[in-house]
C-alpha cells in the first residue's frame, strides 16, 4: 500500500524546495542535454556538490516523461527501504509496532513529499532506514559491516550531517553487553569504506578535474567558513520543526514526541517489551540538533521521517498495552478503550493526512500545470521564429520546476525583483563548441543548435565568474524585460502588467487564506491565478 502512495506522490506531489530543482534536477538535465542552471555550489572554486548523486539517474528519455519516471524510481527505492524496515520491526520489535508504522508511512504527508524528492536528504533518509533496521537486529559481523557501509553511503553520497546519527549509535553501544565485540566489527567495517568513498572521488575528479571531496566542503562551509554559512539563507523560530512535524504527521508527531516518556511508563510498570529506549533517541537527537540551528528547512528533517513513524508506533503500542494491563488489574469494563483508542487514533491520523495531502496537491499544482503549457506553444514556435525564445520569471523564480518542462528552443530568464540573493546561471559553453553554436543561431537553425548542444563537451570543470558563497546578488544573472517572449507568474505580480495572460490555473493566495484552510483542505480559501503570459 505504501508503494501505491509513492507512485501517486511521484506524479502529484509538488516540489517543496527550489534547492531540489537548481542543485539536482538542473545538473541532471545538463548532463543529459547540455543545458541547465549551475548554482555556486557546483562552481569548481567551491565544489560543495557531488555529481555522483545525480549521475546514476542520467539516462535518455523524453524530457517530461523522464522527470516523472525518475520521481517514480525514487519513490520505489523509498518503498523498498520502508518495506525492509517494517519487516525488521515486525520480526525483532513487535508486529503491532510494524503494522502501525506501515499505516503511518503510507498515509503521512511527510513521506508523500520526501519519497519522490531528488534530494540528498531523501537519499540519506533511505540509507538510514536500512541502517536503523540493522541496529534493531542482534549484532553480527555481517550486519555491522552492512551498517557501516550503508551509513557511509548516506553520509558521502547523500548528506554528511547524517553522521550525527552514527554518534547516537555509538552511544547506544555503551548499553550493550557485547559492546567491545561490536566496536571491533565497526573497525572492520570502516576498513571497507574506500569501496564507497573511492567511486565518489573518481566521479567528481572526472567532472571537476581536481580532487574534490564535496561532503567535507559542505561541512566546512556550514560550520567553519568565515565568509558564508547557512544563516545567509534565512532563519526560523525555535518552534519551526514542531509546526512542520504537525503538518507532516499531525497526531503521529505528538505521539513520537511522547514516546520516550511513555516508554518510561512501561519500565515503571515492568512491562515486557522488545522496544529499547535507546532506539527512540535517534528522533530526539536529530530533532533537538536541528531545532538549535538558526537556519531551518523542512528537507533537513526528511532523514528521520520514518523514525517519527517508528517512535509513534512504539508509543501507541505501549499505551495500548497499558490499557490492557489496567483492564486486567482494575476492571474489564474499560477493555473497550483499547480498540476505541487504537482505531480512533488511526482514523484521525488518516483523515488529517489526506486533508493535508489534498491541500498540497490542489493548492500548489499550478506551476507544474503552467510550465506544462509551454509544450502547447512549442514546437513549432521557436523553430518558426528561427531564434531562441525567452521565458521570463519574476517573484516566482523559485517555483520553476526545471528544464524538463521547457521545450527545446526556449530559455529561462530571471527578471530583477526585490529578491537580492544570488541566482543560478546557465552552465557555460565550452570554447570549442561556442563558435559552432553561434553559427547555428546566426543562420536561425535552432534545431541544429539544440542538437549540437546535447552532444557538446560538458564544462563542469570551468571556473564560474561573478559567483560567491555569501548569497550576494550578481547582476549578470538578470535578463532585461525587453528580451522576454513569455512570462510566468501570478496575476498580482507587478511585472505581469507588461504581458497578457495566455493560460491560467488557480493558485492559493496564502496571504489572504486563513492558516487552517491553507494547511488542510477545508474552510474558506482565497485564490489567485498562476499564468503563462505572452507579450502585449
Amino acid at each position: 500500500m505504501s508503494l501505491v502512495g509513492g507512485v501517486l506522490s511521484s506524479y502529484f506531489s509538488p516540489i517543496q524546495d527550489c534547492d531540489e530543482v537548481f542543485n539536482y534536477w538542473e545538473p541532471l538535465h545538463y548532463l543529459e542535454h547540455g543545458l541547465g542552471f549551475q548554482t555556486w555550489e557546483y562552481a569548481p572554486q567551491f565544489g560543495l556538490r557531488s555529481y555522483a548523486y545525480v549521475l546514476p539517474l542520467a539516462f535518455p528519455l523524453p524530457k517530461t516523461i523522464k522527470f516523472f519516471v525518475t520521481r517514480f524510481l525514487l519513490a520505489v527505492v523509498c518503498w523498498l527501504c520502508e518495506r525492509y524496515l517494517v519487516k525488521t520491526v515486525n520480526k525483532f520489535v513487535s508486529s503491532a509496532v510494524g503494522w502501525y508504522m506501515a499505516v503511518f508511512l503510507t498515509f503521512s504527508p511527510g513521506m508523500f513529499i520526501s519519497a519522490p524528492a531528488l534530494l540528498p536528504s531523501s537519499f540519506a533518509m533511505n540509507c538510514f532506514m536500512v541502517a536503523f533496521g540493522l541496529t534493531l537486529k542482534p549484532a553480527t559481523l555481517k550486519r555491522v559491516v552492512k551498517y557501516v557501509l550503508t551509513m557511509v553511503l548516506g553520509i558521502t553520497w547523500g548528506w554528511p550531517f547524517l553522521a550525527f546519527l552514527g554518534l547516537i549509535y555509538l552511544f547506544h553501544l555503551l548499553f550493550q553487553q557485547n559492546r567491545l565485540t561490536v566496536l571491533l566489527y565497526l573497525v572492520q567495517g570502516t576498513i571497507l569504506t574506500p569501496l564507497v568513498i573511492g567511486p565518489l572521488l573518481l566521479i567528481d575528479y572526472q567532472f571537476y578535474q581536481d580532487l574534490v571531496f564535496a561532503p567535507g566542503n559542505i561541512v566546512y562551509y556550514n560550520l567553519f567558513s568565515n565568509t558564508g554559512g547557512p544563516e545567509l539563507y534565512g532563519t526560523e523560530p525555535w518552534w519551526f520543526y514542531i509546526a512542520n512535524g504537525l503538518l507532516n504527521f499531525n497526531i503521529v508527531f505528538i505521539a513520537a514526541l511522547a514516546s520516550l516518556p511513555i516508554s518510561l511508563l512501561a519500565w515503571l510498570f515492568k512491562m515486557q517489551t522488545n522496544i529499547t529506549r535507546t532506539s527512540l533517541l535517534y528522533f530526539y537527537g536529530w530533532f533537538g540538533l536541528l531545532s538549535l540551528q538558526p537556519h531551518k528547512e523542512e528537507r533537513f528533517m526528511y532523514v528521520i521521517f520514518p523514525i517519527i513513524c517508528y517512535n509513534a508506533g512504539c508509543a501507541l503500542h505501549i499505551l495500548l498495552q497499558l490499557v490492557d494491563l489496567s483492564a486486567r488489574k482494575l476492571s474489564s469494563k474499560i477493555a473497550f478503550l483499547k480498540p476505541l483508542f487504537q482505531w480512533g487514533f488511526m482514523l484521525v491520523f488518516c483523515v488529517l493526512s489526506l486533508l493535508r495531502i489534498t491541500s498540497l496537491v490542489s493548492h500548489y499544482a499550478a506551476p507544474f500545470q503552467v510550465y506544462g503549457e509551454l509544450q502547447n506553444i512549442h514546437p513549432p514556435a521557436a523553430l518558426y521564429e528561427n531564434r531562441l525564445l525567452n521565458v521570463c520569471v519574476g517573484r516566482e523564480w523559485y517555483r520553476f520546476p526545471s528544464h524538463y518542462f521547457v521545450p527545446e528552443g526556449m530559455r529561462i530568464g530571471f527578471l530583477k525583483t526585490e529578491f537580492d540573493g544570488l541566482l543560478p546561471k546557465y552552465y557555460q559553453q565550452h570554447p570549442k563548441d561556442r563558435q559552432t553554436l553561434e553559427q547555428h543561431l546566426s543562420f536561425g537553425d535552432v534545431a541544429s543548435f539544440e542538437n549540437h548542444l546535447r552532444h557538446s563537451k560538458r564544462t563542469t570543470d570551468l571556473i564560474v565568474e561573478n559567483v560567491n558563497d555569501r548569497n550576494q546578488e550578481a547582476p549578470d544573472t538578470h535578463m532585461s524585460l525587453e528580451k522576454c517572449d513569455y512570462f510566468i507568474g501570478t496575476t498580482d505580480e507587478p511585472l505581469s502588467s507588461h504581458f497578457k495572460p495566455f493560460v491560467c490555473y488557480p493558485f492559493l493566495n496564502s496571504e489572504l487564506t486563513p492558516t487552517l484552510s491553507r494547511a488542510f483542505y477545508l474552510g474558506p480559501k482565497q485564490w489567485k491565478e498562476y499564468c503563462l503570459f505572452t507579450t502585449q
Side-chain angles (χ1 to χ4, degrees), residues 398-470:
Y398 60 92
R399 298 193 197 274
F400 169 58
S402 80
H403 275 86
Y404 285 100
F405 289 80
V406 180
E408 290 187 352
M410 289 186 172
R411 296 295 182 268
I412 299 296
F414 299 113
L415 297 177
K416 173 60 181 171
T417 64
E418 60 271 19
F419 176 76
D420 60 357
L422 182 64
L423 291 166
K425 301 180 178 183
Y426 276 110
Y427 276 91
Q428 303 172 70
Q429 296 162 356
H430 196 275
K432 293 182 179 179
D433 294 300
R434 189 175 300 134
Q435 183 177 0
T436 303
L437 290 168
E438 289 175 351
Q439 285 177 349
H440 286 313
L441 283 184
S442 66
F443 291 120
D445 191 352
V446 175
S448 296
F449 174 89
E450 294 287 7
N451 183 61
H452 187 91
L453 195 63
R454 277 194 299 275
H455 299 93
S456 62
K457 180 177 174 59
R458 303 304 186 251
T459 59
T460 52
D461 60 322
L462 296 184
I463 297 297
V464 183
E465 298 181 355
N466 296 325
V467 295
N468 59 80
D469 61 354
R470 300 177 297 280

Side-chain angles (χ1 to χ4, degrees), residues 46-92:
F46 300 109
L48 263 68
R49 304 292 182 193
S50 171
Y51 285 94
Y53 175 58
V54 296
L55 183 62
L57 296 171
F59 53 87
L61 275 179
K63 294 210 303 185
T64 307
I65 294 174
K66 169 61 188 293
F67 178 84
F68 289 109
V69 166
T70 301
R71 297 187 100 201
F72 168 74
L73 293 175
L74 294 170
V76 169
V77 170
C78 182
W79 171 74
L80 291 172
C81 296
E82 289 176 13
R83 186 172 180 269
Y84 169 79
L85 180 55
V86 169
K87 287 179 68 176
T88 302
V89 171
N90 273 332
K91 185 174 181 179
F92 293 96

Side-chain angles (χ1 to χ4, degrees), residues 1 23 30 41 66 104 153 157 172 195 217 260 271 275 294 296 305 307 335 342 365 390 401 425 459 476 516 532:
M1 189 161 59
N23 271 322
Y30 175 70
E41 291 100 323
K66 169 61 188 293
F104 299 158
L153 180 67
W157 290 63
H172 167 76
L195 295 175
N217 292 341
L260 189 58
M271 292 170 50
I275 298 169
K296 300 176 178 69
F305 273 6
I307 311 306
Q342 180 185 39
N390 295 317
K425 301 180 178 183
T459 59
D476 62 348
L516 197 61
L532 169 63

Side-chain angles (χ1 to χ4, degrees), residues 2 5-6 9 13-14 16 20 71 75 78 82 103-117 119 121-122 125-126 129 243-250 252-253 298-309 349 352-358 360 519-520:
S2 182
S9 71
S13 177
Q16 301 292 308
E20 179 181 349
R71 297 187 100 201
C78 182
E82 289 176 13
V103 175
F104 299 158
L105 289 167
T106 299
F107 290 97
S108 73
M111 298 308 297
F112 181 80
I113 62 176
S114 61
L119 283 169
S121 50
S122 286
M125 174 187 74
N126 293 335
M129 270 194 276
N244 189 261
L246 292 172
L247 283 175
N248 285 319
F249 293 93
N250 55 78
V252 162
F253 185 72
E298 179 179 64
R299 60 191 167 95
F300 296 167
M301 282 289 285
Y302 285 5
V303 175
I304 60 160
F305 273 6
I307 311 306
I308 291 173
C309 298
F349 165 71
L352 290 176
S353 294
L354 292 175
L355 287 173
R356 174 61 181 168
I357 290 171
T358 306
L360 289 172
F520 299 97

